[in-house]
Amino acid sequence: MLKPTMLKEEVLAECEKAKKLGYDSVCVYPKYVEFARQCLDDIEAKIKLCTVVGYPAGEATQEIKAMEAVFASDAKADEIEVVVSTSAMVAENYEYIDEEVKRVVDCCEAKVKAIIEISDVEDSKIVKACQTCMDAGVRTIELGTIYSHRKVTPELVKMVADMIAGVCELAVVTETKSIEEMYDMICAGATKIVTYNGEDLINDFVKNKSKK
């Protein structure tokens, strides 16, 4: 639900689909948090409402990220995903990452998750950034965005999973429509799959199950 062309009627339709298919959560841009909250309440969907801060590259200032987080929390978002500064990761400025993540964690009541944009960052720096986010108080780390031009690999997932050692949940953004590829991510250590192809994955699961 993070397409830049998303309209209100599409937000409502996606909320209804999420309830039908049993999704854990839906994610919208901050401007749609209040509307999506109303949609979920109206259809009596027990689904978490998530939004993003500094999306998709994490290059907003710390002050703007904090303001977005407070706005979303006040609008009744259950979870806030803050995108870590990609340039700070490249520069190995982990002190900056620690500061910006703590600032968001401290300013709102909603659960805070960290998004790591992986496109132009070395794996070792990604792992260190994930550790910094965990130490800053985040308890869910998400690898990738829908705009990433590099796919999350099972190898990277395992590196991060080994480092966080069960302290954090590990979510993986994937565009796969294959249940086997999703299973590879889970086997590598992912605890949650973030996708725009949930219906296709469910259909693939049902198709494969019927063959057995």
Side-chain angles (χ1 to χ4, degrees):
M1 295 170 70
L2 294 177
K3 295 188 303 182
T5 56
M6 204 78 175
L7 302 176
K8 278 190 172 182
E9 52 264 35
E10 293 176 289
V11 172
L12 173 58
E14 289 296 321
C15 287
E16 291 172 338
K17 183 168 75 173
K19 178 183 179 182
K20 176 183 176 182
L21 297 177
Y23 289 178
D24 178 68
S25 64
V26 294
C27 190
V28 298
Y29 280 110
K31 75 171 187 176
Y32 282 138
V33 170
E34 190 172 355
F35 177 72
R37 174 83 280 156
Q38 188 62 54
C39 290
L40 293 172
D41 290 347
D42 287 348
I43 64 176
E44 299 182 345
K46 304 300 182 182
I47 297 169
K48 291 190 284 290
L49 175 58
C50 179
T51 192
V52 286
V53 166
Y55 194 84
E59 292 309 295
T61 65
Q62 294 184 16
E63 292 80 7
I64 290 175
K65 288 181 180 180
M67 288 173 61
E68 283 189 318
V70 170
F71 171 83
S73 183
D74 289 347
K76 306 303 181 185
D78 299 304
E79 300 177 338
I80 293 173
E81 298 183 349
V82 54
V83 186
V84 169
S85 169
T86 305
S87 63
M89 281 194 288
V90 171
E92 299 183 85
N93 189 350
Y94 302 111
E95 182 178 348
Y96 182 91
I97 293 172
D98 178 72
E99 289 176 358
E100 70 170 355
V101 172
K102 280 182 178 176
R103 194 161 187 165
V104 173
V105 169
D106 291 343
C107 76
C108 61
E109 296 181 4
K111 177 182 177 182
V112 177
K113 304 157 77 172
I115 296 178
I116 309 294
E117 171 52 81
I118 67 168
S119 294
D120 301 299
V121 188
E122 298 168 18
D123 285 358
S124 60
K125 295 178 181 180
I126 291 171
V127 174
K128 180 62 176 175
C130 291
Q131 181 178 3
T132 302
C133 291
M134 183 175 70
D135 293 343
V138 165
R139 286 299 172 262
T140 300
I141 292 169
E142 187 171 305
L143 296 176
T145 72
I146 61 168
Y147 298 104
S148 300
H149 54 259
R150 170 191 171 195
K151 287 185 177 181
V152 180
T153 64
E155 291 76 19
L156 176 58
V157 172
K158 187 177 188 312
M159 288 174 64
V160 175
D162 288 346
M163 183 277 298
I164 62 180
V167 175
C168 288
E169 284 192 283
L170 179 55
V172 174
V173 176
T174 176
E175 294 184 9
T176 185
K177 297 180 181 180
S178 164
I179 200 72
E180 291 184 4
E181 289 184 28
M182 185 185 77
Y183 184 68
D184 288 342
M185 295 295 184
I186 294 172
C187 288
T191 57
K192 186 175 290 187
I193 301 296
V194 180
T195 180
Y196 289 82
N197 298 316
E199 193 166 6
D200 293 315
L201 284 168
I202 291 171
N203 291 337
D204 190 51
F205 173 77
V206 172
K207 181 176 69 176
N208 280 278
K209 188 177 181 180
S210 66
K211 291 179 180 178
K212 297 180 180 180

